[in-house]
């Protein structure tokens, strides 16, 4: 008998729940029967054994892994079976005990059974009449079953030499790894396809459309709302080497054309180097400045309409993207910077453009709706489609509307293979201050005034809970006078101003 506790046990438990057999650092797909578990194959995964060893606990551990005999003569290792012991420890306490959130979930369930998946997420059993035939494919999370379409899809890709070999991932460990992004959601894909160029995307999308196979695009996977996960097919841009990493800087740095595999911060460094090499006076950067700019990629920045603390709404992706190169589901490629490509698209997709014009005309005919949309998008908004495109351009310019609709569409309307930004100035001189206020209402009023006057490039609010995190820090107490006695309702603003020189900051 071997015992594993802590995170190692959780990892092994998750893999076992997903249909894996684990033993001595090996993982194998498994099938179950009423009385036994049969292993069919195994492949060494030394990291798993190391994880288990690193988290090994004494004999008093509350969870254990018991080896049991396998009925399969072809098994290389015996499977391990998890069973909780009578002893308990703080590291393995049932999270549902004395958990008010779980109690609330049970209360809201209205008598329906709560089910926990392999990573602890809760779901409700269907209501009466909403039962689902688990052998029938439905394009809904959790119901995209393999009814033959996925096998046929991958077969077509390999047969036509589009994506094959080690760029098609289907093993349970790596699909489990791609089952989450920076959010707290999880959907494990059936396949992960690592595409290397636009042509591969152009060729695979029509096949996916023909076979009704949903695909989701993924760049860096830093999204916080689950945009980059799916339980269908995940199309991951392979950004190694030169794949999706092309760029071109023009007009003294005022324009930059980049492919989706470049990281946002990397593009800004390329612009800084361009200024240095060409001995230019002014330096530029891309408008969006999300907190994850050193990790997120251009594909996600555009597809999620990224903004950031400093860029606000005026310099987000929507307002700074000049042109896009797009791949549509039928394999058509549109480059909005190329007049010939635009003319060809207008000829082949005239009906689509007419519908876009009609939709814009219908929206703009309703003044109340126009006012509502403008008000909504005057503040940060990355949820849903950029429907402000329907009011920002006249109906007789459908190409401009279509281009703007693509920004923030999360890859549901087209794949972005190239984007041109109008860059914004990166001022060399910056100044910041941390201002305390007696209450949050006064802090918000000050933030409104600063925005109204346009004198600050960034303003961040700290509420009382935030201040409490560092009010006992000696360095902060020296920097911020009055922090240790600011009162229970206090708040603060961190304000940044920037300009071309010190004189501008002194105004």
């Amino acid at each position: 008998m071997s015992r594993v506790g802590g995170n190692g046990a959780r990892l092994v438990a998750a893999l076992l729940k997903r249909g894996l057999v684990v033993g001595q650092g090996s993982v194998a797909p498994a099938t179950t029967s009423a009385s036994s578990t049969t292993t069919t194959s195994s492949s060494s995964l030394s990291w798993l054994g190391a994880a288990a060893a690193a988290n090994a606990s004494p004999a008093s551990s509350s969870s254990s892994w018991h080896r049991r005999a396998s009925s399969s003569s072809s098994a290389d290792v015996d499977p391990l079976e998890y069973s909780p012991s009578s002893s308990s420890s703080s590291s393995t306490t049932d999270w549902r005990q004395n958990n008010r959130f779980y109690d609330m979930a049970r209360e809201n369930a209205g008598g329906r059974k709560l089910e926990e998946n392999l990573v602890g997420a809760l779901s409700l059993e269907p209501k009466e009449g909403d039962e689902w035939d688990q052998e029938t494919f439905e394009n809904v999370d959790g119901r995209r079953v393999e009814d033959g379409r996925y096998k046929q899809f991958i077969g077509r890709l390999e047969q036509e030499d589009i994506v094959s070999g080690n760029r098609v991932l289907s093993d349970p460990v790596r699909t489990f790894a791609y089952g989450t992004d920076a959010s707290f959601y999880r959907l494990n894909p059936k396949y992960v396809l690592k595409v290397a160029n636009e042509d591969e995307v152009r060729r695979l999308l029509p096949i996916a459309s023909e076979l009704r196979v949903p695909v989701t695009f993924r760049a860096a996977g830093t999204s916080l709302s689950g945009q980059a996960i799916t339980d269908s097919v995940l199309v991951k841009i392979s950004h190694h080497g030169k794949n999706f990493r092309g760029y071109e800087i023009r007009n003294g740095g005022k324009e930059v054309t980049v492919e989706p595999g470049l990281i946002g911060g990397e593009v800004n460094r390329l612009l800084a180097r361009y200024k240095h090499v060409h001995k230019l006076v002014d330096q530029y950067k891309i408008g969006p400045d999300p907190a994850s700019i050193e990790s997120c990629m251009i594909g996600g920045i555009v597809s999620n309409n990224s903004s950031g603390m400093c860029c606000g709404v005026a310099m987000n992706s929507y307002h700074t993207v000049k042109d896009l190169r797009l791949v549509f589901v039928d394999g058509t490629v549109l480059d909005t910077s190329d007049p010939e490509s635009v003319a060809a698209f207008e000829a082949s997709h005239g009906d689509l453009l007419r519908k876009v014009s009609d939709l814009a005309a219908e929206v703009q005919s309703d003044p109340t709706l126009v006012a509502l949309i403008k008000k909504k998008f005057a503040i940060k908004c990355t949820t849903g489609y950029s429907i402000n495109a329907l009011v920002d351009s006249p109906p007789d310019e459908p190409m401009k509307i279509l281009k703007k609709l693509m920004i923030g569409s999360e890859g549901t309307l087209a794949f972005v293979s190239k984007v041109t930004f109008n860059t914004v100035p990166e001022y060399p001189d910056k100044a910041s201050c941390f201002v305390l206020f007696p209450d949050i209402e006064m802090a918000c009023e000050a933030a409104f005034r600063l925005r109204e006057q346009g004198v600050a490039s960034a303003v961040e609010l700290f509420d009382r809970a935030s201040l409490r995190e560092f009010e006992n820090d000696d360095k902060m107490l020296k920097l911020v006078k009055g922090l240790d006695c600011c009162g229970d309702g206090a708040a603060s603003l961190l304000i940044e101003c920037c300009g071309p020189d010190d004189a501008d900051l002194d105004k």
Side-chain angles (χ1 to χ4, degrees):
M1 178 187 300
S2 62
R3 296 180 180 271
V4 181
N7 294 332
R10 290 178 178 273
L11 174 62
V12 177
L15 293 174
L16 278 172
K17 284 184 179 181
R18 200 181 189 286
L20 297 174
V21 176
V22 183
Q24 296 181 338
S26 299
V27 176
T31 57
T32 59
S33 63
S35 60
S36 65
T37 299
T38 304
T39 61
T40 57
S41 63
S42 66
S43 57
S44 177
L45 288 178
S46 58
W47 60 266
L48 182 59
N55 289 281
S57 59
S60 60
S61 170
S62 62
S63 59
S64 61
W65 299 91
H66 305 278
R67 191 177 302 282
R68 64 176 178 176
S70 168
S71 62
S72 171
S73 61
S74 63
D76 297 320
V77 296
D78 291 332
L80 298 176
E81 182 183 55
Y82 173 77
S83 63
S85 66
S86 58
S87 60
S88 63
S89 69
S90 60
S91 63
T92 54
T93 300
D94 189 341
W95 63 271
R96 289 166 291 196
Q97 294 180 5
N98 300 319
N99 187 323
R100 67 185 182 91
F101 297 105
Y102 181 69
D103 293 339
M104 289 169 59
R106 292 183 60 187
E107 182 179 346
N108 293 333
R112 286 187 286 162
K113 182 180 178 182
L114 274 174
E115 298 177 348
E116 180 185 359
N117 70 5
L118 75 167
V119 289
L122 297 176
S123 60
L124 282 173
E125 65 178 352
K127 293 181 180 179
E128 186 176 352
D130 291 343
E131 292 82 3
W132 165 59
D133 181 358
Q134 298 190 13
E135 295 184 359
T136 301
F137 178 94
E138 291 184 27
N139 193 18
V140 178
D141 290 346
R143 299 187 178 185
R144 300 183 180 100
V145 299
E146 168 61 288
D147 58 357
R149 70 183 66 200
Y150 290 102
K151 182 178 180 180
Q152 187 178 359
F153 176 61
I154 297 301
R156 288 274 299 274
L157 296 183
E158 293 176 341
Q159 180 182 357
E160 299 180 25
D161 196 25
I162 300 174
V163 182
S164 59
N166 60 7
R167 293 197 291 131
V168 178
L169 309 180
S170 60
D171 63 275
V173 174
R174 286 183 290 182
T175 52
F176 183 86
Y178 277 108
T180 189
D181 50 15
S183 71
F184 49 74
Y185 302 108
R186 170 170 289 282
L187 288 172
N188 295 322
K190 293 177 175 57
Y191 292 93
V192 178
L193 306 179
K194 293 191 173 183
V195 293
N197 52 60
E198 176 190 277
D199 187 63
E200 292 179 350
V201 178
R202 181 188 62 80
R203 294 170 63 193
L204 74 82
L205 284 182
I207 299 176
S209 177
E210 175 190 340
L211 299 176
R212 310 297 293 173
V213 172
V215 300
T216 297
F217 299 114
R218 179 175 177 134
T222 60
S223 51
L224 299 176
S225 303
Q227 301 99 309
I229 60 174
T230 180
D231 58 2
S232 185
V233 173
L234 187 67
V235 179
K236 173 75 174 72
I237 63 171
S238 178
H239 51 276
H240 301 291
K242 296 183 179 180
N243 297 339
F244 289 112
R245 291 180 53 79
Y247 70 93
E248 181 184 359
I249 302 173
R250 297 182 301 276
N251 196 13
K254 293 181 180 180
E255 291 183 12
V256 58
T257 299
V258 289
E259 293 185 345
L262 283 167
I263 294 172
E266 190 177 12
V267 175
N268 286 339
R269 288 189 288 275
L270 290 170
L271 288 164
R273 182 175 180 273
Y274 177 87
K275 179 240 182 184
H276 175 74
V277 169
H278 292 83
K279 297 180 173 56
L280 302 175
V281 175
D282 298 321
Q283 182 174 323
Y284 296 90
K285 64 176 182 177
I286 60 174
D289 64 331
S292 59
I293 194 167
E294 294 300 336
S295 304
C296 63
M297 295 178 182
I298 294 298
I301 288 174
V302 174
S303 296
N304 293 297
N305 188 23
S306 294
S307 56
M309 188 177 73
C310 294
C311 83
V313 175
M315 296 184 293
N316 62 7
S317 298
Y318 181 89
H319 287 103
T320 58
V321 167
K322 180 182 179 182
D323 283 299
L324 294 170
R325 186 174 172 90
L326 305 163
V327 182
F328 289 84
V329 69
D330 61 359
T332 300
V333 176
L334 167 64
D335 188 339
T336 63
S337 68
D338 181 359
E340 292 186 3
S341 177
V342 170
F345 189 85
E346 289 173 339
S348 62
H349 292 71
D351 186 56
L352 170 64
L353 294 175
R354 281 190 292 273
K355 290 178 179 178
V356 169
S357 291
D358 292 343
L359 182 59
E362 181 180 354
V363 171
Q364 293 182 28
S365 67
D366 186 339
T368 303
L369 180 57
V370 170
L372 178 62
I373 291 173
K374 287 186 175 181
K375 181 180 180 180
K376 176 180 176 60
F377 286 90
I379 60 175
K380 282 188 180 181
C381 179
T382 58
T383 303
Y385 291 104
S386 299
I387 59 173
N388 49 327
L390 299 173
V391 301
D392 289 344
S393 299
D396 59 356
E397 295 185 7
M399 188 62 68
K400 184 180 293 186
I401 299 172
L402 183 68
K403 178 174 62 178
K404 291 294 188 180
L405 281 171
M406 296 297 161
I407 303 168
S409 64
E410 300 177 7
T412 59
L413 301 181
F415 173 78
V416 178
S417 63
K418 193 177 292 186
V419 54
T420 298
F421 286 97
N422 287 320
T423 57
V424 300
E426 171 70 304
Y427 292 117
D429 290 276
K430 298 178 181 179
S432 61
C433 61
F434 191 87
V435 183
L436 280 173
F437 295 88
D439 54 61
I440 197 168
E441 289 83 1
M442 189 174 292
C444 291
E445 177 67 20
F448 172 75
R449 300 288 184 184
L450 288 167
R451 179 190 178 191
E452 193 175 44
Q453 295 176 14
V455 295
S457 59
V459 179
E460 184 170 4
L461 174 71
F462 289 74
D463 60 11
R464 190 64 186 88
S466 302
L467 296 177
R468 194 171 291 115
E469 291 297 315
F470 50 79
E471 65 182 357
N472 294 319
D473 185 279
D474 291 338
K475 291 182 179 179
M476 286 298 298
L477 289 174
K478 291 178 181 179
L479 286 172
V480 185
K481 186 178 180 180
L483 180 60
D484 56 342
C485 56
C486 57
D488 292 337
S492 68
L493 295 179
L494 178 60
I495 305 166
E496 180 185 271
C497 299
C498 60
D501 51 46
D502 286 338
D504 186 77
L505 294 179
D506 290 337
K507 291 180 181 179

